[in-house]
Amino acid sequence: RTSTFDAVTPFSAVTTPPYDQYHTSAPMAAISGTARDPSNNSATFINDVGIVVRNLSGPTSYWNDGSQVWQVAASTKDVGPFSATPISWGFTPSDANVFWVPNTSYTVTSMARDDSNFPVVDGNKEASPPSRMIIYDGLSPNATIQRPVAGEFYNKWSKPLVTISGTMTDSVPGEIQKVVVKIQSGTANSYWDGGVWNTGISSLNATLGFGTTNWSYGIPHAAWDDGNTYRIFALAVDKASNNAVGYTVAGGDAHILKSFRMDTTSPTAVMTYPTHCTPDCTPDIISVSAVSATVTEANLQTVEFSMQRVADSFWLTPGATAFFSAPAEVFITGTQVGAVWHLMTNGVAAWDNGDYQVYVRATDQATNVSHKLGSPGVGSAWIQFTVESPQPTSYIQKPPNDSFDNNH
């Protein structure tokens, strides 16, 4: 009689799926793999391969293929027996409709054992059985665009747009794979390809924030043209290739959309009253009940005035008893009447003689500000004028001019 001592454990592999996989529908009809006994002893062979399928979503459960149910207790499905090495094995669930549950994660573990009866009666078992994860995900992810803000105006200095950004979410068991961004110039009807504008549609991959739900895409100042309207599209795609639902653009993909406008042109503001006149104004300015200006800007946000008394460098302060009392520049919001903007100054009870300067500051929705030249001047947003009270006058009543009188 001949006996063989076999203490070498066999091993197996899951080949279908070949790696952890995401699927948008019932993943596959069969799970398959291989097994081998490396003992180099022709007298021992792979006896069987046990398959354990675990449902990771919700309460821990295992597939009982005999009863065709998910249960709490672990259950193994033998796919043998076999009498060879190496072998190929396959597992097809007896009821696929019950087995594959949408939006669920699974692990599939295979364990090979040989036909030896020493040192254990039912053969050597695989020491480190391999597993594969299968994710059945039919849920669409979502993406939002936080910057730019819809309908906003941007420029290249005080309100720049060099990073497009937003958030992304996906429901369990899904996982975001990428966020696709498309940047369209609505004025020129072209798309940014990462370096230049082209007529063809370009899809750009955003950078996903590690460990966060944020995404971003950088773009240089030079990409934006003054006066153009742009549209940003963002599309979230998960590892099962589910797409987010949103607006539709050429190319057939669903996207989230935000429109904005690039505005790098400053408003034009001109003081109209008083006019620039210094050191002498004609007619003399005794007091000023209001200052006025005209502003040219289609997307105006605010018009403000500041007024300074040159002699002591104090600024007009609304509501203050001293009137010109602020040591730093104070801007006061103007009031529009027709096409003219005004700042009422009739609250100043008495105007001291001397020079005053007025600046009108117009700001558009992109935060561009009207230009203030190096010094006040005619036809600009910054002027200087002089307040001068009338000089007292006197005259001689007697004797009359050019008269003769012989009385002493």
Side-chain angles (χ1 to χ4, degrees), residues 63-71 75 94-95 98:
W63 177 248
N64 186 322
D65 201 62
S67 303
Q68 301 176 12
V69 295
W70 292 98
Q71 64 185 38
S75 178
S94 55
D95 190 335
V98 178

Side-chain angles (χ1 to χ4, degrees), residues 142-146 164-167 178-183 204 206 215 231-237 244-247 249 253-258:
N142 293 301
T144 69
I145 301 172
Q146 294 183 317
I164 297 165
S165 60
T167 63
K178 61 182 178 180
V179 172
V180 178
V181 177
K182 296 180 182 180
I183 306 171
L204 310 166
W215 63 266
R231 297 199 296 172
I232 308 297
F233 304 89
L235 172 68
V237 181
V245 177
Y247 291 88
V249 295
D253 295 329
H255 296 71
I256 301 300
L257 166 68
K258 288 288 180 71

Side-chain angles (χ1 to χ4, degrees), residues 262-285:
M262 183 59 57
D263 179 6
T264 60
T265 302
S266 297
T268 300
V270 177
M271 287 295 304
T272 56
Y273 184 81
T275 58
H276 179 75
C277 54
T278 185
D280 296 315
C281 295
T282 305
D284 291 340
I285 297 176

